Amino acid sequence: MSPGGRGGRGGRGGFGGFGGRGGFGGFQRTAPWEHNLGGCESGFTVPDPTDPDIVWATCYANEVSRWDARTGLARAVSPWIHTLDFAPDQAKYRCHWTPPLAIDPFDHNTVYYGCQVIFKTTNGGQSWSVISPDLSTQDPSRIVSSGGLVGDNLGQFAGEVVFAIAPSPIQRGLIWAGTNDGKVWYTRDGGAHWNDVTQNVHMPAWGTVRQISPSVFDPGTAYMAVDYHLMDDRDPFIYKTTDYGKTWTKISDALPHGGPLDYVMSVVENPNRQGMLFAGTGHAFYYSMDDGTHWTHFQGGLPAAPVTWIVVPKLWHDVVVSTYGRGIWIMHDITRLEQKDRMPVDAAVYFYAPRPGWRLARSGNAEFLFHLRSAPKDSVELEISDSRGAVIRTMRQAGRAGDNMMQWNLQYDEPVQVALRTVAPDNPYIWDEARFKGKDT
């Protein structure tokens, strides 16, 4: 993996986010980042999935912004007044330092934002509606001012608020939500009715629901990371349901525990392989090939930092993570990891199913990975055919024992230069001259 751009100082981030939460072989650096896209040092930063010119962001004090690359401006579209230094028990809406934001997978104009309730907009933030009740425990003993000589009620310590919002990518209207006081909810009708499934989890009280990952394979399945380190419990907690929250199974027992940074901060399902999961703890990154029964630690250049958010872009077969301290890391092309257990042990040659190749402006490529049991005597030849079976490109390179890669620039073989020889009437013996004889011209 490699470090990407820098985000904010301690938020959760989200995909491409400011700060924290939010080729297989290692994580790698990304290009420099553009600044001033809205939001601030905390919160989420979420690009519109269908319009790359639009970026949503959140911040403390109930701040929501919408940036438009066409104007270069970030416009404040918060659903209520900014609550700088508002004590939680004096504000109409209690919003965290890193308030969650999510875009509906079925309608990019529908955006959800969480305080102690969940807001929804369908018109770019021009107006908002509340689509949930107060989803917290509503314990008045925890809805209090931060205290101190000078009040600093910016949401860092705000309890009783929504901390995770996760619309299902395969069932319209299904939205999961979790709070930082241990409540878990879902709605199947876009927010008209909410179901409290907290008691079904059988987890300790007062956990922070860090991330919920709805399955891309089954609408009733979801994964949930719950963090108890603020309750001085540093063990990992990941739960899975397959029946819309009626029952839950703890799937994190195989992760290391007993250490001060073993608590889980993020979990996500691989959309390209059912049962393959990724999880981030307070100091490490793990993957599982069997739905959490076993976990494998993977570092690959990633520092021992809190892994605060994980995204797996389906088409790219990459893994993108954010780390506390403004780090964004990308592990490119995990097809080998996804398919490693499918390669026959005695196979002389194994060709990994390739991820899609992309043609970009004046560039683009497709990568082909294959495994050789032993190094060949001659070079390896790869032929690429079109949809009719005609060979359009032939590539050759030396092979080695183990994994190999060939990269195709998406171009056809160069045309063969046609050689034409005509007899000059005034010099019929020109081709017998030394400068031409026996040579291609």
Side-chain angles (χ1 to χ4, degrees), residues 130-432:
V130 176
I131 64 168
S132 81
D134 186 331
L135 298 180
S136 73
T137 63
Q138 304 178 51
D139 183 346
S141 68
R142 296 172 184 264
I143 307 175
V144 295
S145 173
S146 64
L149 295 177
V150 178
D152 187 23
N153 292 292
L154 298 180
Q156 304 99 315
F157 319 109
E160 315 293 313
V161 294
V162 174
F163 210 72
I165 303 174
S168 168
I170 58 174
Q171 181 171 315
R172 188 165 193 157
L174 173 59
I175 307 169
W176 293 88
T179 69
N180 70 346
D181 57 355
K183 300 287 284 185
V184 186
W185 302 74
Y186 77 89
T187 175
R188 296 177 68 173
D189 53 16
H193 303 87
W194 288 86
N195 304 285
D196 184 353
V197 295
T198 308
Q199 297 302 317
N200 302 340
V201 187
H202 301 292
M203 60 182 176
W206 303 110
T208 296
V209 179
R210 283 273 183 175
Q211 185 174 10
I212 301 175
S213 177
S215 175
V216 301
F217 301 100
D218 172 58
T221 297
Y223 303 87
M224 177 173 63
V226 188
D227 175 8
Y228 288 90
H229 87 273
L230 293 179
M231 304 301 295
D232 204 23
D233 184 344
R234 309 305 180 101
D235 285 344
F237 290 87
I238 302 177
Y239 295 92
K240 175 189 176 184
T241 181
T242 58
D243 52 13
Y244 295 98
K246 293 180 181 178
T247 60
W248 295 79
T249 303
K250 189 166 179 276
I251 60 171
S252 52
D253 288 342
L255 284 169
H257 57 277
L261 298 172
D262 286 337
Y263 51 90
V264 174
M265 306 182 75
S266 52
V267 66
V268 71
E269 178 187 55
N270 184 352
N272 294 300
R273 174 160 178 171
Q274 191 169 10
M276 186 175 183
L277 308 177
F278 301 98
T281 71
H283 65 145
F285 175 83
Y286 297 86
Y287 70 89
S288 172
M289 304 295 291
D290 52 14
D291 237 3
T293 302
H294 303 90
W295 292 92
T296 301
H297 178 223
F298 184 87
Q299 203 71 22
L302 187 70
V307 177
T308 53
W309 200 260
I310 305 173
V311 174
V312 184
K314 179 177 175 59
L315 293 178
W316 292 89
H317 290 257
D318 291 343
V319 178
V320 184
V321 307
S322 65
T323 57
Y324 187 88
R326 309 182 182 185
I328 301 292
W329 301 74
I330 301 175
M331 180 163 60
H332 290 288
D333 192 4
I334 60 170
T335 52
R336 278 180 288 172
L337 184 60
E338 293 169 336
Q339 303 172 40
K340 69 173 187 175
D341 58 341
R342 299 173 181 172
M343 180 174 63
V345 177
D346 58 347
V349 179
Y350 180 77
F351 196 83
Y352 295 95
R355 66 173 181 169
W358 302 93
R359 185 182 299 281
L360 306 175
R362 300 181 180 87
S363 64
N365 64 75
E367 296 174 345
F368 302 97
L369 303 171
F370 55 95
H371 184 90
L372 301 177
R373 187 170 57 190
S374 58
K377 295 180 180 179
D378 300 320
S379 61
V380 177
E381 181 177 285
L382 177 67
E383 290 185 341
I384 300 172
S385 303
D386 63 14
S387 58
R388 296 169 297 179
V391 176
I392 59 174
R393 186 66 183 267
T394 301
M395 300 187 296
R396 297 176 182 84
Q397 73 176 38
R400 64 180 183 183
D403 288 333
N404 295 257
M405 183 183 74
M406 283 191 178
Q407 192 174 81
W408 176 40
N409 61 6
L410 305 182
Q411 297 181 8
Y412 283 35
D413 280 325
E414 294 181 357
V416 177
Q417 185 175 359
V418 178
L420 297 177
R421 286 194 173 189
T422 57
V423 177
D426 56 343
N427 187 1
Y429 303 103
I430 187 174
W431 303 117
D432 294 329

Side-chain angles (χ1 to χ4, degrees), residues 12-215:
R12 292 179 287 162
F15 179 50
F18 272 102
R21 188 170 84 132
F24 172 56
F27 289 87
Q28 304 171 358
R29 286 188 181 272
T30 62
W33 288 78
E34 187 172 348
H35 296 274
N36 302 319
L37 272 64
C40 67
E41 61 184 326
S42 71
F44 277 67
T45 303
V46 184
D48 188 309
T50 64
D51 185 353
D53 287 330
I54 301 299
V55 178
W56 291 80
T58 65
C59 182
Y60 56 80
N62 191 22
E63 167 65 24
V64 183
S65 62
R66 183 178 183 271
W67 180 78
D68 191 332
R70 291 170 287 249
T71 63
L73 298 175
R75 183 167 57 92
V77 293
S78 307
W80 191 247
I81 60 175
H82 290 184
T83 54
L84 282 169
D85 201 23
F86 269 60
D89 57 350
Q90 298 174 8
K92 180 176 182 179
Y93 297 113
R94 305 185 303 274
C95 310
H96 200 268
W97 174 264
T98 55
L101 183 140
I103 297 177
D104 194 295
F106 293 90
D107 177 15
H108 71 109
N109 292 311
T110 298
V111 179
Y112 305 102
Y113 168 68
C115 292
Q116 84 271 29
V117 298
I118 294 179
F119 297 90
K120 181 180 80 169
T121 182
T122 58
N123 57 10
Q126 291 291 97
S127 62
W128 295 82
S129 59
V130 176
I131 64 168
S132 81
D134 186 331
L135 298 180
S136 73
T137 63
Q138 304 178 51
D139 183 346
S141 68
R142 296 172 184 264
I143 307 175
V144 295
S145 173
S146 64
L149 295 177
V150 178
D152 187 23
N153 292 292
L154 298 180
Q156 304 99 315
F157 319 109
E160 315 293 313
V161 294
V162 174
F163 210 72
I165 303 174
S168 168
I170 58 174
Q171 181 171 315
R172 188 165 193 157
L174 173 59
I175 307 169
W176 293 88
T179 69
N180 70 346
D181 57 355
K183 300 287 284 185
V184 186
W185 302 74
Y186 77 89
T187 175
R188 296 177 68 173
D189 53 16
H193 303 87
W194 288 86
N195 304 285
D196 184 353
V197 295
T198 308
Q199 297 302 317
N200 302 340
V201 187
H202 301 292
M203 60 182 176
W206 303 110
T208 296
V209 179
R210 283 273 183 175
Q211 185 174 10
I212 301 175
S213 177
S215 175

